[in-house]
Amino acid sequence: MPLTQLAPGEMTDDDLRDWCSVLNDMTAADMPAEPRWRTDRLRDYLEATLPEDRRYLFLDRDDDGDLVGHASLILFGGGGEQSGTGVVELSTRPSARGAGVGTRLLRAVAECAKANGCRTLSVEVIATTPAVGFYNRHGFARNVVEQRHLLRWSDIDWEKIEHAAGRLAAGYRLEYHAGGVPDRLMDSYADVKANLRSSPGNVAFVPEWRGSAYAPALRDSFQTLARRGMRSHIAVAISEPFGNVVGLTELVVSAQRPTRADQYDTVVAPQHRSYGLAMSMKARLLTELRRAEPQLVDVQTWTMETADDVRWINAELGFAHDVDWYDYGADIDRLLARLDRRR
Ligand SMILES: CC(C)(COP(=O)(O)OP(=O)(O)OC[C@H]1O[C@@H](n2cnc3c(N)ncnc32)[C@H](O)[C@@H]1OP(=O)(O)O)[C@@H](O)C(=O)NCCC(=O)NCCS
């Protein structure tokens, strides 16, 4: 069967079921301890993007019609720092590996990205999986290494966490919000977010859907998460008496993998650092999650090797480093020329 490219809205229920089964076969083979995917709201997860962004999907079926591999390409619009880069996710069913399926999908993705004016491809790869060999073979360069840390719910020392959540420097208060932040906080929240991009050494690729430093785009990003079946949980530190946000920490639980929480950004405005706000916010968020998401098994987060302060806080909370994630990139023209030489 020919490889097909489609818009997420064109996926049939069978396509979605098969998509999920490839992900779960891949997880069982490469990362058996990771939670499995569910089809709950999978269509929403694939279909909803920020207003300016687009997602293309690719299905590769064998002669019997069985799905042997799939890929997703997200193209960022809006002229921001990420436009011109396409983000790829690609999986071959383990039973079909080594037969060129991955390469065929990668070519289709690269051609689609180029046709849409994209110049580079970016992909996140778990260091212990075969994907490293695959992307090396295709000439991708490793740009950034991030350390994945896991906090197992059953290992949490709740007494310590409650204590940390309650210990707050004078002149600050914490608030917890689910699903987004209220309008009164939106502007100062966006201002604090802006520090993520300007932090020295922070060269990591921060997808826009993780939140923008521009209030209207931030509202869009919370709405997009909700439309994708991803529940946001947020703790903010607020400075008295003005009531503006000076620190934030965000976490998301998705309908497709509800036992796993993803801790996204934690940031404190520079003039409010060294008061222990990050620790208090993260601890408070965990206490709120205990009530709001009782099914959780673990929380994952990523930090740069250089981010000593964040790693210290995470270690105090009980997070442990388990595996590295690589951010790989390739120039599309060079990738396509390389793929042509293989024909
Ligand atoms: C990475 C993956 C897509 C490769 O799929 P595949 O269909 O087996 O790849 P191909 O058969 O097209 O292999 C292409 C080349 O990569 C090489 N390659 C593939 N896996 C490799 C490995 N584990 N180590 C070294 N090289 C590897 C192949 O040898 C081949 O090179 P060759 O043509 O010179 O022989 C597949 O292993 C997979 O789905 N892994 C999990 C996906 C994943 O981790 N996704 C997260 C990031 S998107």
Side-chain angles (χ1 to χ4, degrees):
M1 271 186 141
L3 192 155
T4 49
Q5 175 187 324
L6 61 174
E10 295 172 316
M11 294 272 275
T12 64
D13 288 345
D14 284 351
D15 289 339
L16 288 164
R17 190 203 57 221
D18 293 350
W19 184 281
C20 194
S21 96
V22 168
L23 285 180
N24 283 334
D25 281 7
M26 185 259 289
T27 306
D30 297 342
M31 298 162 279
E34 293 289 290
R36 301 302 185 260
W37 288 77
R38 300 183 184 177
T39 49
D40 307 46
R41 300 202 60 192
L42 185 57
R43 179 183 298 285
D44 296 333
Y45 180 81
L46 294 171
E47 209 171 317
T49 61
L50 285 171
E52 313 269 6
D53 298 346
R54 270 162 302 156
R55 190 197 280 266
Y56 296 97
L57 302 178
F58 304 82
L59 299 179
D60 198 358
R61 292 187 181 279
D62 64 15
D63 292 339
D64 298 328
D66 293 333
L67 190 65
V68 288
H70 60 61
S72 146
L73 169 69
I74 296 184
L75 300 172
F76 295 112
E81 60 195 85
Q82 291 151 15
S83 64
T85 299
V87 176
V88 186
E89 285 168 8
L90 193 155
S91 309
T92 300
R93 200 185 285 279
S95 55
R97 287 186 186 166
V101 172
T103 303
R104 204 157 52 229
L105 285 162
L106 186 62
R107 182 194 300 276
V109 164
E111 283 170 351
C112 173
K114 184 175 166 70
N116 282 281
C118 218
R119 291 178 304 281
T120 52
L121 289 182
S122 167
V123 58
E124 286 205 340
V125 172
I126 300 177
T128 52
T129 66
V132 171
F134 174 79
Y135 289 108
N136 284 340
R137 185 76 187 85
H138 287 298
F140 280 64
R142 197 169 79 186
N143 296 324
V144 180
V145 179
E146 287 187 276
Q147 298 190 331
R148 201 273 292 272
H149 289 72
L150 266 188
L151 173 64
R152 291 182 208 289
W153 215 242
S154 55
D155 292 346
I156 293 181
D157 177 349
W158 284 109
E159 206 176 312
K160 186 175 178 183
I161 298 290
E162 298 276 358
H163 183 68
R167 200 175 40 205
L168 194 62
Y172 298 101
R173 71 168 197 276
L174 299 182
E175 285 183 13
Y176 160 73
H177 296 284
V181 289
D183 282 347
R184 72 186 150 87
L185 299 178
M186 202 57 96
D187 286 331
S188 57
Y189 191 94
D191 288 346
V192 174
K193 266 259 171 176
N195 290 289
L196 274 178
R197 287 191 172 73
S198 54
S199 304
N202 187 3
V203 289
F205 186 77
V206 183
E208 287 293 347
W209 50 262
R210 278 199 192 179
S212 168
Y214 171 58
L218 193 57
R219 221 166 265 130
D220 282 344
S221 82
F222 284 129
Q223 281 166 7
T224 303
L225 285 171
R227 284 192 294 125
R228 299 183 73 199
M230 300 164 88
R231 300 185 288 273
S232 305
H233 299 273
I234 298 144
V236 289
I238 293 190
S239 173
E240 307 281 24
F242 302 111
N244 56 309
V245 173
V246 297
L248 60 95
T249 186
E250 286 179 8
L251 182 147
V252 170
V253 179
S254 68
Q256 303 80 24
R257 290 204 296 181
T259 59
R260 155 74 49 89
D262 284 346
Q263 170 89 63
Y264 287 174
D265 304 322
T266 301
V267 57
V268 176
Q271 62 274 36
H272 298 274
R273 290 184 186 165
S274 308
Y275 296 117
L277 293 179
M279 174 68 110
S280 307
M281 290 188 302
K282 285 186 121 175
R284 168 69 182 273
L285 197 52
L286 289 174
T287 64
E288 297 289 349
L289 279 176
R290 198 180 186 187
R291 280 181 281 276
E293 303 279 3
Q295 78 291 348
L296 280 180
V297 170
D298 54 26
V299 183
Q300 68 176 351
T301 190
W302 298 266
T303 56
M304 310 286 288
E305 275 172 317
T306 47
D308 286 338
D309 45 352
V310 183
R311 286 197 307 171
W312 179 81
I313 293 168
N314 286 341
E316 278 294 296
L317 294 171
F319 282 88
H321 173 228
D322 70 336
V323 70
D324 286 347
W325 287 51
Y326 299 152
D327 182 57
Y328 270 103
D331 174 90
I332 291 177
D333 285 335
R334 278 206 287 274
L335 172 63
L336 283 169
R338 208 181 156 108
L339 288 167
D340 279 343
R341 286 199 296 276
R342 292 169 61 96
R343 277 196 202 260

